């Protein structure tokens, strides 16, 4: 792997002070319906981002230095509540092509499971059991590998344990590598907080 981006380290004030507009100064391509807040964990300090559910889709979107077939995302997520309906989900990774179209995305569910969806919201897979705990930091890692239809891979780990893995998936936009990654919340959902946000790709040789 090669590290593409790291942001919002635990216990730190962050790069942007209290003004989320600074996130658009050559860092993120989109920072909509996200705000900077203190860590919701009363035992922790530092600045984190809150992805706010609203009338549309809130997103923090980052453009990779080059499109890649292997891309991963890691972050800590704190949810005060799970979504009450499936459309009010948090998005843990939306892997997108150069035209900002969804290749595949991973969202949460009303039961605390994580779902893998294509661009048309067709479910490609789901964790077998609930994996998210409310009012606690959940460390979520997601990696996808592009390939031929029926031979694409996704692996999800939560707090260090593998919760989903498959190498027989079919993502959207066959033949197009991942050029952008976004995280966020949608459709008036409860929103959540994120920190220790990392993006990596397959251009290096470590931990692929």
């Amino acid at each position: 792997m090669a590290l593409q981006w790291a942001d919002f380290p635990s216990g730190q004030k962050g790069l942007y002070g209290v003004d989320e507009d600074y996130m658009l100064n050559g860092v993120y391509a989109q920072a909509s319906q996200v705000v900077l807040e203190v860590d919701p964990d009363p035992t922790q300090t530092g600045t984190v981002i809150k992805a706010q559910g609203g009338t549309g889709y809130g997103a923090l979107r980052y453009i990779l230095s080059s499109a890649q077939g292997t891309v991963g995302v890691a972050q800590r997520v704190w949810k005060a509540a799970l979504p009450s309906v499936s459309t009010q989900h948090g998005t843990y990774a939306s892997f997108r092509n150069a035209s900002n179209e969804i290749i595949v995305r991973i969202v949460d569910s009303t039961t605390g499971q994580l779902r893998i969806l294509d661009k048309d919201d067709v479910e490609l897979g789901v964790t077998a059991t609930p994996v998210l705990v409310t009012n606690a930091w959940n460390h979520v890692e997601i990696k996808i590998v592009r390939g031929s239809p029926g031979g694409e891979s996704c692996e999800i780990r939560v707090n260090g344990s593998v919760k989903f893995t498959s190498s027989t998936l079919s993502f959207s936009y066959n033949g197009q590598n991942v050029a952008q990654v976004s995280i966020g919340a949608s459709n008036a959902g409860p929103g959540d907080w994120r920190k220790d946000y990392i993006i990596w790709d397959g251009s290096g040789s470590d931990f692929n």
Side-chain angles (χ1 to χ4, degrees):
M1 63 168 258
L3 182 66
Q4 275 274 347
W5 182 244
D7 210 348
F8 302 101
S10 294
Q12 301 297 312
K13 293 183 178 180
L15 301 173
Y16 318 107
V18 295
D19 190 347
E20 53 271 7
D21 289 341
Y22 287 130
M23 291 190 284
L24 293 172
N25 289 349
V27 181
Y28 292 100
Q30 179 183 0
S32 59
Q33 293 177 203
V34 295
V35 295
L36 301 171
E37 294 189 354
V38 297
D39 196 312
D41 185 344
T43 68
Q44 301 293 316
T45 62
T47 301
V48 301
I49 53 172
K50 184 177 184 183
Q52 300 190 110
T55 56
Y57 178 72
L60 190 64
R61 178 163 54 90
Y62 183 82
I63 298 176
L64 306 183
S65 59
S66 64
Q68 297 287 329
T70 299
V71 180
V73 171
Q75 66 206 282
R76 297 188 194 278
V77 181
W78 179 289
K79 298 191 74 72
L82 295 172
S84 58
V85 296
S86 61
T87 55
Q88 295 180 352
H89 53 68
T91 297
Y92 294 78
S94 180
F95 299 96
R96 296 167 174 256
N97 63 16
S99 299
N100 196 26
E101 298 165 314
I102 296 170
I103 293 171
V104 65
R105 63 189 181 123
I106 290 79
V107 305
D108 57 24
S109 74
T110 58
T111 60
Q113 293 169 282
L114 292 178
R115 305 169 65 215
I116 300 93
L117 307 178
D118 71 3
K119 67 179 180 65
D120 298 314
D121 286 342
V122 174
E123 187 175 277
L124 307 179
V126 61
T127 59
T129 59
V131 295
L132 301 175
V133 177
T134 57
N135 294 306
W137 284 111
N138 302 270
H139 189 249
V140 180
E141 302 168 85
I142 301 161
K143 183 178 82 170
I144 69 162
V145 181
R146 295 241 61 180
S148 300
E152 302 192 282
S153 300
C154 178
E155 180 180 302
I156 299 173
R157 299 186 182 204
V158 179
N159 297 325
S161 298
V162 176
K163 300 299 182 180
F164 178 88
T165 183
S166 176
S167 58
T168 60
L169 304 177
S170 297
F171 302 150
S172 303
Y173 298 105
N174 182 38
Q176 298 185 31
N177 282 339
V178 177
Q180 310 180 55
V181 174
S182 70
I183 58 176
S186 66
N187 296 326
D192 52 45
W193 293 264
R194 316 286 179 98
K195 67 178 180 178
D196 294 326
Y197 181 42
I198 293 174
I199 304 171
W200 70 92
D201 65 27
S203 63
S205 59
D206 296 327
F207 308 117
N208 282 333

